[in-house]
Amino acid sequence: MEITERNLPNTGLVEGKLPEEIIQNFWKLIEESKKKPDDMKKELAGNINSSIRLDGNSKLITDFMKKILPSFIDKHIESYGSPLRFNDSKVGFNLEKLWVNFQKKHEFNPPHDHSGLFSFVIWMKIPTSYEKQRKLPIASESNADTLISNFAFTYTDILGKIKTFAYNMEKEAEGYMVVFPAQLYHQVFPFYESKGERVSISGNIGVVTQ
């Protein structure tokens, strides 16, 4: 008797490490935006120190917009199918919003989703270690110690159970990008006992008809 498995269709994430030159250009864009900051806190859910709008048309991120991001979106569609319900050949994608988040200790981003079709996050600077954070007294005896300081997605499985998938915030995650469906709920848990600042970039991708 042969027993096999069958995975039921579902969506997921695509992820990858960005080239160093792309990351450096994003840092330059962040520094430019700090000169005349456009505060986005009223448009976002974050309970964090600062969120500043970035110029999505800047020449600094031309390669990212023309080569890197489309490759991630194509990979998501290839892996999980198109989320669109009309003729895909007559639509394109555009960057609706682009911003940078500056998060300090005790600050957090509550569960939320985004506008658009896809969203992405790029971790630029991580001043803490998840493995060290989970050993702090506030978390060491918790049955949810896998979440402290982390970025996490929340979703229901095929049985309707609430599940959480977390990215461990370690130094190695710097320069890493994750692309996901914009309506997928996610959150950022607070970190503790660090004077550092976590820096991340987020963006929303919308649809335009051609």
Side-chain angles (χ1 to χ4, degrees):
M1 180 177 65
E2 181 181 0
I3 300 176
T4 61
E5 63 180 21
R6 183 180 297 275
N7 293 320
L8 299 181
N10 203 346
T11 190
L13 319 167
V14 294
E15 57 190 51
K17 189 86 169 181
L18 297 181
E20 182 60 27
E21 61 183 302
I22 298 294
I23 294 299
Q24 290 306 314
N25 283 339
F26 268 118
W27 276 120
K28 293 176 183 177
L29 182 59
I30 290 172
E31 291 306 312
E32 284 188 0
S33 300
K34 284 182 176 180
K35 295 176 182 178
K36 293 184 178 180
D38 182 0
D39 188 3
M40 282 192 65
K41 290 182 67 175
K42 291 183 179 180
E43 301 178 41
L44 304 172
N47 288 236
I48 63 175
N49 180 58
S50 175
S51 294
I52 299 175
R53 194 183 313 274
L54 298 177
D55 181 7
N57 295 315
S58 172
K59 293 182 179 179
L60 286 170
I61 57 170
T62 296
D63 285 345
F64 172 79
M65 291 302 303
K66 290 187 175 181
K67 300 175 183 178
I68 304 297
L69 188 57
S71 297
F72 275 73
I73 292 175
D74 288 345
K75 180 63 176 179
H76 198 286
I77 293 174
E78 175 188 335
S79 300
Y80 304 110
S82 173
L84 306 176
R85 293 180 179 273
F86 42 90
N87 190 338
D88 293 357
S89 64
K90 294 183 179 180
V91 302
F93 301 101
N94 72 317
L95 184 61
E96 290 186 347
K97 288 183 180 179
L98 182 68
W99 67 96
V100 56
N101 294 314
F102 302 96
Q103 179 187 2
K104 297 182 180 296
K105 67 177 180 179
H106 303 161
E107 298 176 345
F108 63 97
N109 221 319
H112 66 284
D113 61 358
H114 287 179
S115 63
L117 191 64
F118 292 105
S119 291
F120 62 87
V121 59
I122 304 169
W123 293 293
M124 300 293 291
K125 180 182 178 182
I126 300 174
T128 55
S129 163
Y130 156 68
E131 287 298 336
K132 293 180 179 179
Q133 289 279 304
R134 68 184 297 187
K135 295 176 183 178
L136 295 175
I138 195 174
S140 61
E141 296 182 4
S142 169
N143 62 11
D145 66 338
T146 57
L147 300 179
I148 184 172
S149 84
N150 285 340
F151 177 102
F153 291 101
T154 302
Y155 61 97
T156 55
D157 64 16
I158 62 170
L159 300 180
K161 301 295 185 180
I162 302 297
K163 301 291 186 180
T164 300
F165 176 83
Y167 280 91
N168 295 341
M169 293 292 97
E170 299 283 355
K171 188 75 173 177
E172 291 76 15
E174 292 182 349
Y176 212 74
M177 180 167 81
V178 177
V179 174
F180 54 93
Q183 294 184 353
L184 180 59
Y185 266 70
H186 54 286
Q187 59 189 305
V188 183
F189 290 88
F191 59 85
Y192 303 86
E193 297 188 6
S194 171
K195 295 182 180 179
E197 188 174 59
R198 180 180 295 170
V199 182
S200 62
I201 289 174
S202 292
N204 295 339
I205 306 299
V207 177
V208 292
T209 56
Q210 299 176 341

